Amino acid sequence: MKKKIKKSFAIILAALMAVMFIPEMAFAGITDADNQNVVVSASYKGEKCAVDGKTIKLIVPKNTTKTFDASNLSLTYDGAAVAPNVEWESGSDSINPGESAGGVVSYKLSAGGKVNTSYYTFAVVEYEAPSVSGEINKRVTSGETLYFGKSEFTSHYKQNDGDELAYVTIDANMGTSRYGTFYVGGIEYYLSDSIPVSDLGDVTFVSGDEGEPEYHVNYYEKNNDDSVGYINLNIEISGTSIGNVYSETVSQGKSIYLPISEINSKFKTISGSYSNFSTISFTSLPVSSEGKIYYNNSAVGTDVEYSYSDACNGLKFTAGSSFSGYAYAGFSVKDSAGASYSGAIVINVKKGSTSALDSIAATTYDNESVTFSASKFNSAMKAATGNNLNYVKFSLPASSKGVLYYEYTSSSKYDSKVSEGTKYYRTGSGNKLIDDVTFVPKSGYTGKVTIEYTGVDTEGESLSGEIIITVKEGSGTGSLKDISYESKQSKAVHFDTDDFTGVLKKVSDYNLNYVKFTLPDTTYGTLYYDYTDSTGKYDSKVTSSTCYYRTGSSKKLIEDVAFVPSGIYTGTITIKYTAYDSNGDSYSGNIKVTVKSDTISAVNATVANGSVLYMPATNMNSAFKSASGYNIDYVQFSLPSSTYGLLYYGYNTATSGGTLVKSTDKYYISGSNLLSNVAFVPNNSYTGTFDLNYTAYASTGAGCSGIIRITVTAGATPVQPTVTTGDSKYFKDVTKAAGYSWVSEKVDYLYEKGVVKGTATTSAGTTYSPAAKITRGDFVLMLYRAFGLSGTVTDNFSDVKKNSYYYEAIGVAKSLGIATGFNNKFNPDSNLSRQDAMVLIYRAIKITGKKTLAETSDVSRFTDKDKIESYASTAVGTLVNAGIINGYENGTFVPKGPITRAEMAVVLYNTGVI
């Protein structure tokens, strides 16, 4: 027999060497070549056989004493092989278990074709029985339900050469009925009964008393009444944890946000806390085949902590593509004092359609909002599942395209911005409703916006969908962009045909044919046809039924229409019109005509010699608004002759007069450099009346000239104030010569209040380093001092060292919710961006309540408004509205640029809380 085995090895070696010289080919089934797998199956007198590549296995029980003959094998061949024949080596009739014999199969691919060969080995192997190993460990809260996944049971069974798993039984080891009851498909399970493999995904356990019961899970293969082994099932039942928290149902391969708000609600009930939990971490994760939990697209691990706010918007579960049943993840949440509460998230993964819901389409214009309709979402869900919609969750669109709001009225009036973790319901009192969700396009944006959402029906089925919103360029009336003109009182505005043609081309594929006008109220003015400016004569008044054409030799033309404002009206008048294209389609639009006064009416003021006159900012604004229709943004003065007196900014007393006003200085109606802080101090010897000239500018850039007619009467002889030098009293590098006169007083004030300190002291003096970039840690330290923050530091960011000079300041700011960081890090030594500085100040003002703010996210005054991140827009807009910040003179804000120590001083000073 040994010689036969050696011979078979020689044949195998020769066959392998031959294969080495066959060119590499990509075979699709049997091809005209040697060494192909032509044997499909084998049988041997009722014994178990298996074909494994080029080996034909005869599987026999252990300790078999019989010998076997390869010639007794019955083989089935691939249908492409023609006239196959097998020649086994001589003596193959005496093969024992553990031995093998070789044979050559000859075959053709077609009748008369060349003969190909494949070498096969016939091996007799002893049977390897199925095996069972491992254990199942579970934790649950008393009274809660524990869910099992099918793979939790089947993964412990290894088939080997045996049959497939048929069923399991569960027996009590130390478990008794007081610890709880098992259920299969909702029906009570009696210990030791059979649970077929198909039902293992429907096994649940309703826990009873606290304890740690142990059970045996016994495994049985097909056609065998004897158990092939068992594993231990250990259940830890706790009475003090949060317990199970159930997520919405999700389809195979789909993702859902974890139920963080539900966990938080249970946490508050168990702990008695009024605050949200501080952190959450996972103590166990689902089996990989069931699905994975991700934080911002990165798979999570155990014992990594996530803050409450991060968890709400960052933690998702993605179900396995072929798994169905219950996935289970253990978690632990901590309160602000570090006390922990354990629990588990249970996610029902269902088979079914993985297709998305039908898309919901909408069209709007670049200055119009879109309010969602619950009925459209419900129709999409009913078409997919046959059930009504319960609620949806939205993924937020890019801030560069627009924002989702809840209960939106205007940009300054809404309930809240939509958040990703919030459920918006189809119906129900007390619920946040889909019908109150509104999409507002970013100003100036046109194009398509896709908003993804997850819908959950009344049976818990979860499907994904998308809302596709097309934003067109147009007006608030629903189609055409506004056409704007400016005029003076009684001066005609002649319409330009190209303006009407241009806006129509944005929304229509056809040329403009004609327009019709809705007539304005005659209080504001009149529309005329063929109006002559020099004489005031005209052909006719425009009528609402007349068509005015783009072109045509015998037709009334748009270019001959003019609007003549009323001689007494100033402001903006809206004239509605309808445009008709050459295809007969109509579009509505607005013409907006801003009528300005020829001059700003004079503002009268009186001051006694020896007194001070502060600029009458309110009266100046009223005069400007009457003339232009706008509020004042800022004013610049033409300096009066010193014969009359001098203008000062920041005048306090006769011995501390602030700084002299310059003609290039800008003084604002609100914010820093206030117009109302500009003072006129009469010359000692002057009495009489003179005109102080100024130019006022709106935020649009429109400017008008005006005068303040000042009458100086006799009075006490004043002492002309001393003008400050513009130099800091404490810091050698904050000087007028260095260009820092604008901040010197503010730096000195903050220094005197203990808010800021110098950066270095030498024999030449102390430096402040006004141009230096400020770090995140230093800024929070100054906020801490400026606002007088106080609190107990129970927790701090992981990258804030305990012995650092800003440790307490950052820790207190974190505990108050002013500093939030990211992933429990604050990066204290990194430069602070201007927009992040505004966010920190905004939170400090709101949380301490030291100043009342009118909130707004309007940042339209800045030319780089699109670069301001959505999370900072409310902070920036609110602080601009409050006059705390102004941005740069070129109209930019530079949100991501670093804030300097000089800029920081101005902003802190302007808060007015110090």
Side-chain angles (χ1 to χ4, degrees):
M1 187 66 208
K2 289 181 180 179
K3 289 182 180 180
K4 294 177 184 177
I5 295 174
K6 286 181 181 180
K7 181 180 178 183
S8 68
F9 286 154
I11 295 173
I12 293 171
L13 180 60
L16 288 174
M17 291 181 68
V19 170
M20 291 175 62
F21 294 99
I22 296 175
E24 185 176 346
M25 299 175 65
F27 294 107
I30 301 302
T31 60
D32 196 11
D34 290 332
N35 207 37
Q36 300 299 288
N37 290 340
V38 294
V39 178
V40 175
S41 63
S43 61
Y44 189 100
K45 296 183 178 180
E47 301 286 354
K48 186 173 182 178
C49 291
V51 177
D52 183 7
K54 297 288 183 21
T55 300
I56 301 169
K57 294 180 180 178
L58 175 60
I59 302 170
V60 299
K62 283 187 177 295
N63 303 317
T64 298
T65 58
K66 293 191 297 183
T67 59
F68 301 90
D69 187 347
S71 62
N72 291 324
L73 280 171
S74 178
L75 303 179
T76 302
Y77 300 95
D78 187 284
V82 177
N85 178 55
V86 60
E87 293 183 6
W88 296 103
E89 61 186 69
S90 60
S92 61
D93 58 344
S94 58
I95 301 175
N96 299 309
E99 297 179 337
S100 62
V104 177
V105 177
S106 301
Y107 60 95
K108 298 179 182 181
L109 267 296
S110 63
K114 78 166 187 174
V115 177
N116 299 297
T117 59
S118 292
Y119 186 85
Y120 275 84
T121 300
F122 170 52
V124 180
V125 297
E126 292 185 311
Y127 170 81
E128 184 177 357
S131 60
V132 177
S133 62
E135 61 182 9
I136 299 174
N137 297 296
K138 290 283 191 178
R139 289 189 298 174
V140 68
T141 303
S142 178
E144 297 284 356
T145 301
L146 185 64
Y147 294 83
F148 292 87
K150 179 178 179 180
S151 63
E152 288 186 276
F153 293 101
T154 59
S155 62
H156 298 285
Y157 179 81
K158 188 174 181 181
Q159 182 177 342
N160 296 324
D161 293 322
D163 281 327
E164 295 177 359
L165 177 65
Y167 62 91
V168 303
T169 63
I170 301 175
D171 295 331
N173 184 8
M174 295 176 60
T176 65
S177 60
R178 71 184 181 90
Y179 288 123
T181 304
F182 286 95
Y183 291 83
V184 179
I187 300 173
E188 184 175 352
Y189 170 75
Y190 294 95
L191 296 180
S192 299
D193 280 359
S194 300
I195 305 175
V197 171
S198 59
D199 293 340
L200 290 178
D202 294 324
V203 176
T204 58
F205 177 79
V206 178
S207 59
D209 293 346
E210 294 180 52
E212 297 182 8
E214 296 179 5
Y215 300 88
H216 278 170
V217 181
N218 304 291
Y219 289 80
Y220 296 83
E221 63 177 333
K222 290 181 179 179
N223 305 312
N224 188 354
D225 293 333
D226 296 326
S227 171
V228 295
Y230 72 89
I231 63 169
N232 286 329
L233 168 57
N234 308 308
I235 302 177
E236 178 184 338
I237 306 172
S238 170
T240 58
S241 69
I242 288 176
N244 288 349
V245 180
Y246 300 92
S247 181
E248 60 208 35
T249 302
V250 63
S251 296
Q252 293 169 324
K254 296 296 181 180
S255 299
I256 52 170
Y257 284 96
L258 295 186
I260 302 301
S261 59
E262 287 84 350
I263 292 173
N264 194 48
S265 177
K266 280 199 169 188
F267 159 76
K268 288 181 177 180
T269 301
I270 296 295
S271 66
S273 173
Y274 292 100
S275 301
N276 299 328
F277 67 75
S278 177
T279 62
I280 183 171
S281 59
F282 293 96
T283 55
S284 64
L285 296 170
V287 177
S288 59
S289 61
E290 298 172 353
K292 288 187 177 182
I293 296 174
Y294 294 89
Y295 175 73
N296 287 348
N297 300 320
S298 297
V300 306
T302 55
D303 301 324
V304 177
E305 293 188 334
Y306 303 92
S307 69
Y308 172 76
S309 59
D310 288 343
C312 284
N313 294 320
L315 288 172
K316 284 184 176 181
F317 171 79
T318 300
S321 59
S322 58
F323 171 74
S324 63
Y326 292 96
Y328 176 92
F331 66 84
S332 174
V333 297
K334 293 182 180 179
D335 61 20
S336 57
S340 61
Y341 301 82
S342 62
I345 300 170
V346 181
I347 305 167
N348 186 8
V349 182
K350 292 181 67 175
K351 288 183 179 179
S353 173
T354 57
S355 61
L357 296 166
D358 289 340
S359 296
I360 296 172
T363 300
T364 187
Y365 300 87
D366 59 1
N367 58 355
E368 283 190 348
S369 59
V370 176
T371 299
F372 292 168
S373 170
S375 62
K376 290 186 178 180
F377 290 83
N378 191 49
S379 295
M381 180 59 75
K382 289 191 78 171
T385 68
N387 300 317
N388 283 322
L389 176 71
N390 187 11
Y391 62 86
V392 301
K393 289 183 179 181
F394 297 100
S395 294
L396 302 183
S399 59
S400 60
K401 296 183 177 181
V403 179
L404 285 176
Y405 292 95
Y406 186 71
E407 290 188 350
Y408 177 88
T409 302
S410 67
S411 60
S412 59
K413 188 177 180 182
Y414 55 87
D415 178 79
S416 59
K417 291 183 179 180
V418 167
S419 61
E420 288 195 332
T422 303
K423 298 174 181 177
Y424 296 89
Y425 288 82
R426 180 175 63 88
T427 186
S429 60
N431 292 332
K432 288 196 170 185
L433 301 176
I434 298 169
D435 285 331
D436 291 325
V437 175
T438 298
F439 171 74
V440 179
K442 181 79 170 178
S443 178
Y445 174 79
T446 57
K448 285 193 176 181
V449 182
T450 300
I451 302 171
E452 295 180 351
Y453 74 95
T454 300
V456 179
D457 69 13
T458 52
E459 297 298 319
E461 178 72 14
S462 172
L463 290 176
S464 61
E466 60 184 17
I467 308 132
I468 301 174
I469 301 174
T470 301
V471 183
K472 295 182 177 180
E473 187 174 4
S475 71
T477 60
S479 76
L480 300 177
K481 189 177 180 67
D482 290 346
I483 298 172
S484 298
Y485 298 101
E486 286 190 359
S487 179
K488 297 290 186 180
Q489 289 169 320
S490 301
K491 292 185 178 179
V493 174
H494 294 273
F495 294 166
D496 187 337
T497 306
D498 289 342
D499 293 334
F500 294 83
T501 302
V503 296
L504 183 66
K505 281 184 176 180
K506 300 288 186 181
V507 297
S508 173
D509 294 328
Y510 299 91
N511 287 325
L512 175 67
N513 189 11
Y514 62 86
V515 300
K516 290 183 178 181
F517 297 97
T518 300
L519 302 184
D521 191 303
T522 55
T523 303
Y524 306 121
T526 305
L527 285 172
Y528 294 96
Y529 185 73
D530 204 7
Y531 180 87
T532 303
D533 290 281
S534 59
T535 63
K537 294 181 179 180
Y538 55 89
D539 176 79
S540 60
K541 289 184 179 180
V542 168
T543 66
S544 58
S545 60
T546 302
C547 301
Y548 296 88
Y549 288 83
R550 177 177 64 89
T551 186
S553 58
S554 61
K555 296 177 179 178
K556 289 195 172 185
L557 303 178
I558 297 169
E559 64 185 22
D560 292 326
V561 175
F563 171 72
V564 180
S566 167
I568 61 172
Y569 176 74
T570 58
T572 300
I573 173 68
T574 299
I575 303 170
K576 298 181 182 296
Y577 72 96
T578 303
Y580 296 81
D581 65 20
S582 57
N583 192 48
D585 296 324
S586 63
Y587 302 84
S588 57
N590 289 329
I591 306 161
K592 293 189 174 181
V593 182
T594 300
V595 183
K596 299 180 179 179
S597 174
D598 289 331
T599 59
I600 302 176
S601 59
V603 175
N604 296 311
T606 301
V607 61
N609 200 309
S611 299
V612 177
L613 172 68
Y614 287 95
M615 292 298 101
T618 301
N619 292 342
M620 293 168 69
N621 188 57
S622 296
F624 180 72
K625 191 170 185 178
S626 295
S628 68
Y630 299 105
N631 288 314
I632 289 176
D633 185 21
Y634 67 89
V635 166
Q636 291 180 306
F637 291 95
S638 297
L639 301 182
S641 169
S642 59
T643 303
Y644 307 130
L646 298 173
L647 288 176
Y648 296 89
Y649 181 76
Y651 178 92
N652 291 314
T653 68
T655 57
S656 179
T659 58
L660 281 171
V661 168
K662 294 183 293 186
S663 60
T664 55
D665 291 339
K666 296 177 180 179
Y667 298 96
Y668 291 84
I669 200 72
S670 63
S672 59
N673 281 12
L674 283 172
L675 174 61
S676 57
N677 285 342
V678 175
F680 170 71
V681 179
N683 188 296
N684 292 349
S685 58
Y686 177 75
T687 58
T689 300
F690 76 98
D691 288 342
L692 175 61
N693 296 295
Y694 68 92
T695 304
Y697 295 88
S699 59
T700 61
C704 291
S705 299
I707 60 172
I708 306 169
R709 188 155 291 149
I710 300 175
T711 299
V712 182
T713 61
T717 301
V719 178
Q720 287 294 328
T722 302
V723 179
T724 59
T725 63
D727 295 345
S728 168
K729 294 183 288 186
Y730 306 105
F731 302 108
K732 67 176 184 176
D733 55 351
V734 183
T735 64
K736 183 177 181 180
Y740 290 106
S741 59
W742 56 277
V743 74
S744 58
E745 290 182 65
K746 296 175 176 61
V747 170
D748 286 353
Y749 179 82
L750 295 177
Y751 176 74
E752 291 165 356
K753 294 295 183 180
V755 176
V756 302
K757 297 180 180 179
T759 54
T761 301
T762 65
S763 58
T766 302
T767 57
Y768 177 74
S769 304
K773 301 169 186 175
I774 193 166
T775 65
R776 293 167 60 83
D778 284 347
F779 190 85
V780 172
L781 177 60
M782 291 174 188
L783 273 185
Y784 174 77
R785 295 170 181 162
F787 284 81
L789 302 179
S790 61
T792 303
V793 181
T794 58
D795 182 31
N796 213 330
F797 298 103
S798 61
D799 57 350
V800 178
K801 296 179 181 178
K802 204 157 190 175
N803 59 352
S804 60
Y805 61 89
Y806 44 58
Y807 180 84
E808 182 176 357
I810 295 177
V812 170
K814 181 184 181 185
S815 68
L816 295 175
I818 295 172
T820 56
F822 182 75
N823 278 346
N824 200 35
K825 290 187 177 182
F826 190 68
N827 299 317
D829 297 322
S830 299
N831 291 333
L832 179 69
S833 70
R834 288 167 55 80
Q835 65 182 0
D836 284 355
M838 300 309 115
V839 171
L840 290 169
I841 291 173
Y842 167 77
R843 290 178 184 158
I845 292 174
K846 286 199 67 176
I847 289 171
T848 60
K850 291 194 173 185
K851 189 179 184 74
T852 301
L853 296 173
E855 291 195 4
T856 176
S857 57
D858 182 12
V859 291
S860 59
R861 67 178 293 172
F862 300 118
T863 58
D864 56 351
K865 56 185 178 295
D866 291 342
K867 295 181 180 179
I868 299 173
E869 296 290 347
S870 58
Y871 73 84
S873 60
T874 298
V876 174
T878 300
L879 297 186
V880 168
N881 187 55
I884 294 172
I885 57 172
N886 283 307
Y888 295 106
E889 287 189 2
N890 63 0
T892 63
F893 181 68
V894 192
K896 297 179 182 178
I899 189 169
T900 65
R901 287 171 57 82
E903 292 168 341
M904 173 276 302
V906 171
V907 177
L908 285 183
Y909 179 87
N910 287 347
T911 62
V913 302
I914 306 168

